[in-house]
């Protein structure tokens, strides 16, 4: 269960990175410009124009974020799989959760209030026409894919790490405490 929750936590970050890159590409398709500019309507801001350089940079950052998330997903899952006791498992899960929230903490502490206000009042970027629509049943395709990914990842980690480790522990118990 802890490995599944860890995988869901990381897939949320992956989903955010994918959304970020898709939004950047959609923004460039609809508002390509030679300069970056922000407009204002009432209390809301919107991006009037965006340059190719900013979109490329956004995609590079999105890919980097995905690489870091996948690295943390794999190493964190292995770390959790080899944790021996329940209290240690809970402590390790909390530590991994903290690691995933460090960037948000840094944002909250270091970014000026005016910049946060600008981000808060920017109009959403249109994401229609992307591959992440709903399934025929009405379920959101992206959410289903993320839960399915987390479940498959959990099964792989259990099969590759937890079960062999449990088998070795039983063998060790037999050697140390023969019955």
């Amino acid at each position: 269960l802890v490995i599944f929750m860890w995988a869901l936590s990381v897939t949320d970050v992956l989903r955010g990175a994918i959304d970020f890159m898709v939004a950047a590409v959609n923004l460039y398709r609809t508002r390509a410009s030679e300069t970056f500019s922000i407009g204002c309507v009432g209390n809301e801001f919107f991006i009037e124009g965006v340059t190719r350089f900013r979109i490329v940079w956004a995609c590079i950052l999105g890919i980097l974020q995905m690489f870091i998330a996948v690295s943390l997903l794999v190493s964190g899952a292995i770390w959790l799989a080899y944790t021996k006791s329940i209290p240690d498992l809970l402590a390790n899960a909390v530590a991994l959760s903290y690691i995933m929230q460090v960037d948000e903490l840094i944002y909250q502490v270091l970014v000026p209030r005016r910049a946060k206000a600008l981000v808060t009042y920017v109009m959403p970027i249109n994401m229609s026409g992307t591959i992440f629509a709903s399934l025929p049943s009405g379920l959101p395709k992206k959410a289903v894919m993320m839960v399915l990914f987390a479940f498959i990842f959990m099964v792989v980690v259990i099969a590759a790490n937890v079960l062999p480790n449990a088998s070795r522990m039983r063998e060790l118990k037999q050697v140390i405490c023969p019955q």
Side-chain angles (χ1 to χ4, degrees):
L1 180 63
V2 174
I3 293 171
F4 180 71
M5 296 308 292
W6 170 242
L8 277 180
S9 175
V10 175
T11 54
D12 182 48
V13 173
L14 291 170
R15 182 179 180 173
I18 291 168
D19 283 348
F20 176 71
M21 290 187 297
V22 169
V25 170
N26 279 351
L27 185 64
Y28 185 72
R29 286 183 186 154
T30 59
R31 300 195 178 125
S33 176
E34 295 297 317
T35 60
F36 178 77
S37 57
I38 297 176
C40 181
V41 174
N43 289 343
E44 293 187 318
F45 300 98
F46 64 95
I47 299 173
E48 288 181 337
V50 65
T51 63
R52 177 178 288 156
F53 175 76
R54 284 187 185 261
I55 298 306
V56 168
W57 186 241
C59 288
I60 289 170
L61 289 176
I63 291 168
L64 179 63
Q65 187 177 12
M66 288 176 66
F67 174 76
I68 291 168
V70 168
S71 298
L72 284 171
L73 174 66
V74 171
S75 58
I78 292 170
W79 188 35
L80 291 171
Y82 285 100
T83 301
K84 306 269 186 282
S85 69
I86 299 295
D88 288 344
L89 184 64
L90 293 174
N92 292 345
V94 169
L96 287 171
S97 175
Y98 175 77
I99 289 169
M100 292 302 289
Q101 295 175 0
V102 167
D103 59 335
E104 294 169 24
L105 179 63
I106 291 171
Y107 173 81
Q108 290 298 324
V109 171
L110 297 180
V111 174
R113 287 185 186 163
R114 287 184 179 182
K116 286 185 213 173
L118 180 64
V119 169
T120 301
Y121 293 110
V122 170
M123 291 179 175
I125 297 171
N126 185 5
M127 299 278 285
S128 63
T130 64
I131 61 169
F132 298 113
S134 293
L135 294 170
S137 62
L139 292 172
K141 188 186 297 184
K142 198 174 353 176
V144 170
M145 288 174 23
M146 294 298 174
V147 170
L148 188 61
F149 171 78
F151 181 77
I152 291 169
F153 181 80
M154 177 195 67
V155 169
V156 168
V157 168
I158 289 172
N161 294 303
V162 176
L163 295 178
N165 192 29
S167 177
R168 281 191 295 264
M169 292 296 188
R170 281 191 291 279
E171 290 170 8
L172 255 150
K173 183 180 176 185
Q174 286 297 329
V175 169
I176 294 172
C177 307
Q179 292 179 354

